[in-house]
Amino acid sequence: MKNELNFRHLYYFWVVAKEGGITRAAERLGLAVQTVSAQLTLLEQSLGKALFAQQGRRLVLTEAGRLAMNYADQIFLLSEQMQEALHEADSGRLRLTVGISDSLPKLSAYRMLEAVTQMDRPVRLVCYEDQFEALLADLALHKLDVVLTDREVRAGATMKVFSHRLFDSELVVVGVPALAEVYREGFPNNLNGAPFLLPTRNNALRGKIDEWFVQHGVRPDVVGEFEDNALVNTFGRRGLGLFFAPAALAPDVAEQFGAAQVGVAAGVREQFYMISNDRKIQHPAVEAMLAAVHDGTPAAG
């Protein structure tokens, strides 16, 4: 029969690893060095693995220690989140932890969350940005309440998560006014050689854009490819190239980035999704997001 894991011992291990040594960990914990050292020894004995190795005057994690640390991070970070959530529940404030895909336009993320900021009940938004796959992993571990992204989860995915389409929008080509003026007349047939700032090829939208170029016989001069949509907007604001934006957000793009519309990329649409662990949404803030969509608040182009 395996020994049950002592979570106090695991916590001491986690603090030692975070602090980089037993002495500093003991100071943080308010314990004697000998006490922390003894608890680590008991943990290693119960696991049957050495978690640290001596390297000169330093302790470094062994391979088993790195593996244990990955799990300890999840356990104790979730514990901290639980305590914060319970405290906020007592105060009447909702907490919504959101993962935002790095390919998602920031204006789109705001539009998707706008209903949450307008709730009668106060909400504390905690937003993290990362790659789509990393966010799904955090969602599966319940470190996130929802993920906002520009793609749905593929059918047959191993993770039991559910895609909810919030809205979709046709794309428009935009650029600084001087550049837009050059390419507006004769659009889209006059775009051969036009400078463009595009998402990288691992972005769900890039394939649709490339197909649209092929359909219109356009060979653009791709002067930049970006994983982060915010960088596309930043470089576009400097007049380095034309770029694509959701028609639903065109007024916001014009106001924030000074971009003027060149033309509509007919047939090219971008979808925006919310991914959750539950098919039936129960979190009040997430319900508000879905209700706003059904009411038609997030405009679709």
Side-chain angles (χ1 to χ4, degrees), residues 50-112:
L51 301 176
F52 289 102
Q54 196 75 36
Q55 191 175 86
R57 307 177 83 178
R58 296 172 55 246
L59 280 180
V60 295
L61 289 168
T62 62
E63 186 61 35
R66 285 190 288 271
L67 183 60
M69 188 62 183
N70 287 337
Y71 284 99
D73 267 336
Q74 295 172 24
I75 291 168
F76 295 116
L77 289 175
L78 280 173
S79 172
E80 291 174 358
Q81 289 180 11
M82 179 192 73
Q83 293 180 68
E84 289 180 3
L86 289 173
H87 174 73
E88 287 168 359
D90 289 340
S91 69
R93 180 184 293 272
L94 282 173
R95 177 189 176 95
L96 181 65
T97 307
V98 183
I100 299 175
S101 176
D102 57 3
S103 62
L104 187 71
K106 302 303 179 288
L107 287 172
S108 299
Y110 173 77
R111 179 67 63 85
M112 295 159 84

Side-chain angles (χ1 to χ4, degrees), residues 31-226:
L31 299 171
V33 170
Q34 295 83 351
T35 300
V36 177
S37 180
Q39 304 298 331
L40 277 181
T41 300
L42 289 173
L43 177 63
E44 290 180 327
Q45 289 174 351
S46 69
L47 295 174
K49 302 283 185 182
L51 301 176
F52 289 102
Q54 196 75 36
Q55 191 175 86
R57 307 177 83 178
R58 296 172 55 246
L59 280 180
V60 295
L61 289 168
T62 62
E63 186 61 35
R66 285 190 288 271
L67 183 60
M69 188 62 183
N70 287 337
Y71 284 99
D73 267 336
Q74 295 172 24
I75 291 168
F76 295 116
L77 289 175
L78 280 173
S79 172
E80 291 174 358
Q81 289 180 11
M82 179 192 73
Q83 293 180 68
E84 289 180 3
L86 289 173
H87 174 73
E88 287 168 359
D90 289 340
S91 69
R93 180 184 293 272
L94 282 173
R95 177 189 176 95
L96 181 65
T97 307
V98 183
I100 299 175
S101 176
D102 57 3
S103 62
L104 187 71
K106 302 303 179 288
L107 287 172
S108 299
Y110 173 77
R111 179 67 63 85
M112 295 159 84
L113 290 168
E114 191 171 14
V116 176
T117 67
Q118 297 173 355
M119 290 179 64
D120 293 335
R121 186 174 176 181
V123 179
R124 179 184 176 187
L125 272 174
V126 182
C127 297
Y128 298 96
E129 184 179 14
D130 208 335
Q131 294 181 348
F132 180 66
E133 291 76 12
L135 292 175
L136 286 187
D138 285 344
L139 180 67
L141 292 170
H142 297 278
K143 295 168 71 175
L144 301 171
D145 293 314
V146 291
V147 170
L148 302 183
T149 182
D150 57 354
R151 71 188 82 172
E152 61 183 329
V153 178
R154 295 190 306 272
T158 54
M159 291 185 228
K160 191 177 180 181
V161 294
F162 302 93
S163 302
H164 311 268
R165 193 169 80 174
L166 294 185
F167 70 103
D168 66 272
S169 174
E170 199 161 45
L171 293 186
V172 293
V173 176
V174 298
V176 295
L179 194 59
E181 185 65 28
V182 172
Y183 293 100
R184 186 174 291 123
E185 188 175 349
F187 177 92
N189 300 320
N190 64 338
L191 294 179
N192 263 322
F196 267 90
L197 305 168
L198 299 178
T200 52
R201 294 188 183 279
N202 61 347
N203 186 295
L205 191 60
R206 178 61 184 271
K208 299 177 183 179
I209 292 173
D210 287 344
E211 286 180 15
W212 184 79
F213 282 139
V214 171
Q215 288 171 4
H216 293 280
V218 172
R219 291 188 176 182
D221 176 16
V222 181
V223 297
E225 298 178 80
F226 305 89

Side-chain angles (χ1 to χ4, degrees), residues 221-240:
D221 176 16
V222 181
V223 297
E225 298 178 80
F226 305 89
E227 279 194 336
D228 186 350
N229 185 270
L231 281 175
V232 174
N233 293 332
T234 300
F235 278 76
R237 180 165 52 187
R238 299 297 180 184
L240 296 180

Side-chain angles (χ1 to χ4, degrees), residues 172-178 180 184 233 236-237 241-243 245 249-262:
V172 293
V173 176
V174 298
V176 295
R184 186 174 291 123
N233 293 332
R237 180 165 52 187
L242 302 172
F243 58 101
L249 303 176
D252 298 310
V253 172
E255 180 180 352
Q256 186 170 341
F257 301 104
Q261 183 170 318
V262 180

